């Protein structure tokens, strides 16, 4: 049973802070520039899958759950009704010791969302043949009272001084990334593939435990145009970040995706910033990398009968510390094609994998010194109406008590220089490192 309530304005992150438990799953995402935030916590139902059919298996779980769901309360509001919060790793299969499954989806016990200036709370209950109905009714009533008069005055979540690093270690060792880039360029010159995205990882050990939601609050304030997110596995680890890249949105039959590839730093002055942006727009290497992504989106979605509409030239997408080449892509979703059908075709894009996908992606494991997990994975939600949104797990870190593994990558094509790609990844590390330790 899924019960939706329209309530007075609440901050979903503050609600999540108040009910946060390291031993429970949660999913949080906010994009301040678009005016939405949603938090879901504690799994009523969950499912995991692995392998090439993981998207289809998750869709079957969603369909079966909805076929046995009674939704009550206003269903027209944004984020009303049951939502399925989902995380797909970069690879179809993950290693046994990784923190997250290759695909995981859960229905939260509690959900609070803010969109279009309105707050919607959802309580999801598992009702079985022998469920005590009076106890369930009492639980719903308590939830209504809690959300209807939420008290911020005495939060359990206490502010703490910033953590300081005791160690910062390059995973794989110093010089490993430059060597990987050189090996990749050699394979590109040998025509094995045209592009591959290679990432670095840094392990930080802090002076005290790192709270993912405290870090998240800083990320959403600094990166209003990004998806500030936290995904917890219910075993103490959280994957957090501030991703600039939408992978896919479906709303009322309309599909929206984007190509985001090609990067340069922000300038210290308006003149320098404009000059850097112009240089990026004129960069043959970056324009080629961007075109790879756009071509892949078109090629991947065409078999679904999707007719894409996008401008002929990329624009600049300026974030707090970096600017990218960006092209927005729109289409009507054909009858019978669902969000996860399109997502399965798109993920991973050349912006985080390579081109051709079949040749480049398998080489990533050989050239990187760590498992990716949810880094560059697909994170998001599907609702009961088939709408939903997924973003790419970038500018991110895996937090486990006082340790954090940070990730950042760069696209390698013909002409890539190890030193330049190293500098680009350092720039991308900065946002998360500052949020963790600033």
């Amino acid at each position: 049973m899924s019960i939706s309530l329209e309530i007075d304005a609440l901050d979903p992150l503050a609600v999540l802070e108040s009910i946060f438990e390291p031993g429970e799953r949660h999913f949080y995402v906010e994009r301040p520039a678009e005016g939405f935030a949603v938090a879901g916590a504690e799994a009523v139902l969950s499912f995991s899958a692995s392998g090439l059919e993981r998207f289809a298996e998750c869709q079957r779980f969603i369909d079966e759950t909805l076929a046995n769901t009674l939704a009550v309360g206003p269903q027209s509001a944004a984020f009303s009704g049951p939502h399925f919060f989902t995380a797909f790793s970069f690879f179809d299969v993950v290693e046994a010791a990784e923190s997250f499954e290759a695909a995981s989806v859960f229905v939260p016990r509690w959900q609070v969302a803010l969109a279009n200036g309105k707050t919607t709370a959802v309580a999801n209950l598992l009702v079985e043949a022998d469920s005590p109905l009076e106890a369930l009714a009492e639980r719903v009533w308590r939830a209504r009272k809690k959300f209807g008069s939420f008290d911020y005055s005495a939060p359990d979540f206490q502010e703490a001084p910033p953590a300081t690093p005791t160690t910062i270690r390059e995973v794989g060792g110093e010089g490993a990334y430059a060597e990987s880039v050189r090996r990749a360029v050699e394979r590109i010159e040998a025509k094995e593939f045209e592009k591959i995205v290679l990432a670095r990882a840094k392990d930080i050990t802090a002076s005290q435990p790192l709270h993912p939601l405290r870090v998240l609050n800083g990320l959403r304030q600094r990166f209003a145009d990004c998806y500030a997110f936290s995904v917890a596995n219910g075993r103490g680890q959280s994957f957090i970040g501030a991703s600039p890249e939408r992978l896919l949105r479906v709303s009322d039959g309309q599909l929206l995706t984007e190509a985001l590839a090609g990067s340069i730093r922000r300038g210290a002055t308006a003149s320098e910033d404009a000059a850097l942006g112009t240089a990026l727009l004129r960069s043959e290497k970056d324009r080629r990398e961007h075109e790879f992504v756009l071509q892949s989106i078109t090629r991947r979605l065409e078999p679904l009968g999707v007719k894409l509409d996008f401008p002929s030239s990329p624009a600049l997408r300026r974030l707090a510390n970096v600017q990218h080449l960006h092209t927005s892509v729109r289409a009507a979703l054909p009858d019978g094609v669902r969000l996860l059908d399109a997502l399965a075709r798109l993920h991973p894009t050349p912006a985080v994998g390579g081109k051709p996908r079949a040749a480049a992606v398998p080489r990533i494991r050989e050239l990187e010194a760590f498992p990716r997990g949810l880094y560059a994975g697909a994170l998001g939600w599907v609702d009961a109406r088939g709408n939903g949104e997924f973003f790419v797990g970038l500018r991110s870190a895996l937090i486990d008590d006082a340790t954090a593994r940070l990730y950042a990558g760069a696209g390698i094509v013909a002409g890539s220089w190890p030193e330049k790609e190293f500098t680009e990844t350092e720039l991308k590390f900065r946002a998360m490192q500052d949020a963790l330790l600033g």
Side-chain angles (χ1 to χ4, degrees), residues 12-34:
L13 183 57
V15 175
L16 184 58
E17 288 177 354
S18 75
I19 62 175
F20 174 81
E21 292 288 346
E24 296 284 355
R25 286 184 180 269
H26 76 243
F27 187 103
Y28 182 89
V29 62
E30 177 174 1
R31 198 168 191 180
E34 295 192 1

Side-chain angles (χ1 to χ4, degrees), residues 166-214:
T166 56
T167 61
I168 301 179
R169 182 181 67 87
E170 179 87 15
V171 178
E174 300 296 331
Y177 187 70
E179 178 59 26
S180 293
V181 172
R182 280 191 287 271
R183 290 168 59 195
V185 171
E186 288 175 359
R187 294 188 177 194
I188 291 169
E189 291 173 347
K191 308 299 184 185
E192 185 174 337
F193 42 77
E194 296 178 67
K195 174 188 175 180
I196 189 169
V197 178
L198 295 180
R200 295 168 56 203
K202 291 182 181 181
D203 283 344
I204 292 179
T205 302
S207 56
Q208 61 190 43
L210 298 162
H211 198 300
L213 302 187
R214 182 177 294 111

Side-chain angles (χ1 to χ4, degrees), residues 213-233:
L213 302 187
R214 182 177 294 111
V215 177
L216 190 63
N217 188 44
L219 289 173
R220 69 171 180 169
Q221 293 179 24
R222 185 178 180 195
F223 299 100
D225 199 35
C226 292
Y227 296 89
F229 66 88
S230 176
V231 183
N233 64 7

Side-chain angles (χ1 to χ4, degrees), residues 85 132 139 157 316:
F85 294 104
R139 184 181 297 173
F157 185 79
L316 289 176

Side-chain angles (χ1 to χ4, degrees), residues 12 99 151 175 228 244:
S99 300
D151 182 13

Side-chain angles (χ1 to χ4, degrees), residues 394-406:
L394 300 175
R395 313 294 196 273
S396 50
L398 178 65
I399 293 181
D400 187 359
D401 196 51
T403 66
R405 172 164 288 186
L406 283 63

